């Protein structure tokens, strides 16, 4: 059985029901809107976010998932989908998960409006049901994701990222959404309990490990057996690179910065940078940090009694580290 199916097993019923509720939560009287939202739903990914919501909710409440849990999962997926649609417009990207993106099929103007529509649907789903605590969790996540993106853009211009700033960027950009899923799952069944903050921290730790794993893919062999170097081409400062930059002598540091700033489209130069990062312990350092976040996340889980939901969350933490793409 595939690892994702294994993780999903204890919440298979909830996930099936969620899919129906999620499509309903997007519905509109405008035919074009329904056509596009159906297209989006039919090309969904692994649905890790709603899985986090249901697994956490059921773990902290001895197997209970209530209507509020479904609403929480729908809100997070609506708002996350909105940000993806907008991201594709910003990045001028024509593909999403191997399919055409909304902006590729219906152009930018419609894609931006669809993103706005999904965002408003998410907000109204919470407001109409007085889920103001859940709405606050999501709104904080959206604010932080925007700040993280802008901080990364600002720092990429100067290439002056310290390790602390890097952690702040990935905490906001990536970890904050997984943290929101986990705290939202807890808040949906145990509002204002200590579980809400504890699970927020748990999600944040997984998110940090997840992003470092993504950084490492840039240096690992892809399907054609070559490191991709995409982050270097896009001048993204990732942990292996930051570590090596901060520990290189003056001459090497100057060469690295010059390579990333002025030669990031030169395949040969990018290859040399990748080799330099590998030879100078960048990957080992990033792996060590990733595993620290993983261990902290598992330690938090271990404060809960054993259950199928806890086992699935443990699998999820390990899957984040062991995944191949």
């Amino acid at each position: 059985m595939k690892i994702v199916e294994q993780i999903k097993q204890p919440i298979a019923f909830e996930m099936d029901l969620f899919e129906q509720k999620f499509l309903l939560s997007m519905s509109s009287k405008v035919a074009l809107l329904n056509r596009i939202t159906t297209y989006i739903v039919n090309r969904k990914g692994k649905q890790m976010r709603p899985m986090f919501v249901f697994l956490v909710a059921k773990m902290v409440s001895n197997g209970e998932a209530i209507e509020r849990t479904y609403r929480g999962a729908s809100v997070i997926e609506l708002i996350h989908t909105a940000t993806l649609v907008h991201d594709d417009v910003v990045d001028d990207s024509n593909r999403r998960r191997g399919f055409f993106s909304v902006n590729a099929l219906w152009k930018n103007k419609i894609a931006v409006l669809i993103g706005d529509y999904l965002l408003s649907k998410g907000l109204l789903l919470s407001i109409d049901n007085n889920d103001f605590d859940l709405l606050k969790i999501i709104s904080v996540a959206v604010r932080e994701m925007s700040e993280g993106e802008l901080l990364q853009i600002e720092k990429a211009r100067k290439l002056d990222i310290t390790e602390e700033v890097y952690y702040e960027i990935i905490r906001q950009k990536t970890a904050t959404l997984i943290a929101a899923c986990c705290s939202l799952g807890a808040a949906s069944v145990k509002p204002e309990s200590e579980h809400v903050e504890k699970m927020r921290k748990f999600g944040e730790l997984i998110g940090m490990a997840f992003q470092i794993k993504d950084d490492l893919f840039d240096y690992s062999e892809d399907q054609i057996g070559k490191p991709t170097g995409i982050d270097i081409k896009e001048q993204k400062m990732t942990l292996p690179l930051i570590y090596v930059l901060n520990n290189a002598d003056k001459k090497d540091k100057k060469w690295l910065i010059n390579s990333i700033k002025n030669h990031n489209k030169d395949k040969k130069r990018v290859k040399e940078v990748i080799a330099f990062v590998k030879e100078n312990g960048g990957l080992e350092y990033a792996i060590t940090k990733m595993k620290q976040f993983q261990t902290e996340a598992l330690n938090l889980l271990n404060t809960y009694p054993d259950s199928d939901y806890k086992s699935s969350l443990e699998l999820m933490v390990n899957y984040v580290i062991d995944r191949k793409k």
Side-chain angles (χ1 to χ4, degrees), residues 152-161 237 257 261:
Q152 185 173 48
I153 290 166
E154 180 194 347
K155 292 294 181 183
R157 286 177 180 161
K158 297 177 187 166
L159 299 184
D160 63 346
I161 297 188
M237 298 295 282
I257 290 174
K261 268 194 170 169

Side-chain angles (χ1 to χ4, degrees), residues 205-311:
L205 290 163
I206 297 174
M208 301 292 275
F210 181 93
Q211 186 55 56
I212 296 172
K213 177 69 175 183
D214 257 17
D215 288 359
L216 287 162
F217 282 135
D218 209 42
Y219 297 89
S220 60
E221 312 292 309
D222 67 4
Q223 280 80 0
I224 49 172
K226 293 176 186 168
T228 56
I230 290 165
D231 289 336
I232 295 166
K233 287 168 197 156
E234 292 178 359
Q235 297 185 338
K236 278 186 190 159
M237 298 295 282
T238 59
L239 189 55
L241 188 57
I242 291 165
Y243 171 77
V244 169
L245 256 177
N246 292 339
N247 289 281
D249 61 33
K250 215 171 176 181
K251 182 169 149 276
D252 287 335
K253 193 171 186 173
K254 196 177 168 187
W255 174 80
L256 277 168
I257 290 174
N258 183 31
S259 301
I260 297 154
K261 268 194 170 169
N262 305 314
H263 304 281
N264 57 322
K265 301 287 187 282
D266 177 342
K267 283 182 182 171
K268 184 171 174 286
R269 193 72 168 257
V270 170
K271 253 190 204 168
E272 287 168 6
V273 171
I274 288 172
F276 187 88
V277 170
K278 283 182 168 178
E279 283 158 22
N280 288 275
L283 269 58
E284 288 85 351
Y285 183 77
I287 289 166
T288 303
K289 286 291 175 186
M290 176 179 74
K291 289 192 169 164
Q292 279 174 14
F293 287 120
Q294 177 195 28
T295 304
E296 278 184 64
L298 290 170
N299 287 345
L300 264 181
L301 264 190
N302 285 334
T303 61
Y304 286 91
D306 289 344
S307 67
D308 288 346
Y309 316 113
K310 178 184 164 181
S311 300

Side-chain angles (χ1 to χ4, degrees), residues 96-212:
R96 167 70 60 183
R97 298 188 185 115
F99 297 98
F100 283 114
S101 58
V102 173
N103 51 302
L105 292 173
W106 287 281
K107 304 295 175 230
N108 283 353
K109 185 176 180 179
I110 288 177
V112 170
L113 291 169
I114 288 287
D116 293 347
Y117 173 77
L118 295 174
L119 198 61
S120 66
K121 276 295 219 182
L123 299 175
L124 286 168
L125 185 59
S126 292
I127 292 163
D128 291 346
N129 293 283
N130 294 327
D131 295 330
F132 297 111
D133 56 335
L134 305 187
L135 184 57
K136 186 177 180 183
I137 290 169
I138 314 258
S139 301
V140 168
V142 173
R143 183 198 73 204
E144 294 213 313
M145 283 157 68
S146 310
E147 284 179 351
E149 283 286 356
L150 287 164
L151 179 60
Q152 185 173 48
I153 290 166
E154 180 194 347
K155 292 294 181 183
R157 286 177 180 161
K158 297 177 187 166
L159 299 184
D160 63 346
I161 297 188
T162 61
E163 206 171 312
E164 286 64 39
V165 170
Y166 164 81
Y167 290 135
E168 187 53 21
I169 289 170
I170 68 165
R171 187 190 67 73
Q172 291 185 315
K173 259 190 69 178
T174 305
T176 195
L177 188 65
I178 300 174
C181 295
C182 296
S183 61
L184 202 134
S188 72
V189 287
K190 298 273 185 187
E192 294 178 37
S193 66
E194 77 282 1
H195 302 294
V196 180
E197 173 53 25
K198 203 171 172 183
M199 287 294 99
R200 185 202 68 76
K201 185 66 189 165
F202 168 73
E204 185 175 286
L205 290 163
I206 297 174
M208 301 292 275
F210 181 93
Q211 186 55 56
I212 296 172

Side-chain angles (χ1 to χ4, degrees), residues 29-87:
K29 293 189 177 78
V30 180
L32 175 62
L33 252 171
N34 287 334
R35 199 154 70 242
I36 297 171
T37 52
T38 303
Y39 177 83
I40 291 169
V41 169
N42 288 341
R43 281 146 193 81
K44 62 185 182 296
K46 296 186 187 82
Q47 291 193 301
M48 289 302 199
R49 279 156 297 277
M51 281 160 67
F52 272 122
V53 174
F54 288 113
L55 286 169
V56 168
K58 297 194 86 168
M59 181 183 75
V60 304
S61 66
N62 299 321
E64 192 180 16
I66 55 177
E67 199 54 43
R68 217 165 99 91
T69 315
Y70 287 95
R71 286 200 299 271
S74 291
V75 170
I76 208 125
E77 202 66 347
L78 279 165
I79 290 178
H80 174 64
T81 307
T83 61
L84 292 184
V85 172
H86 282 164
D87 277 355

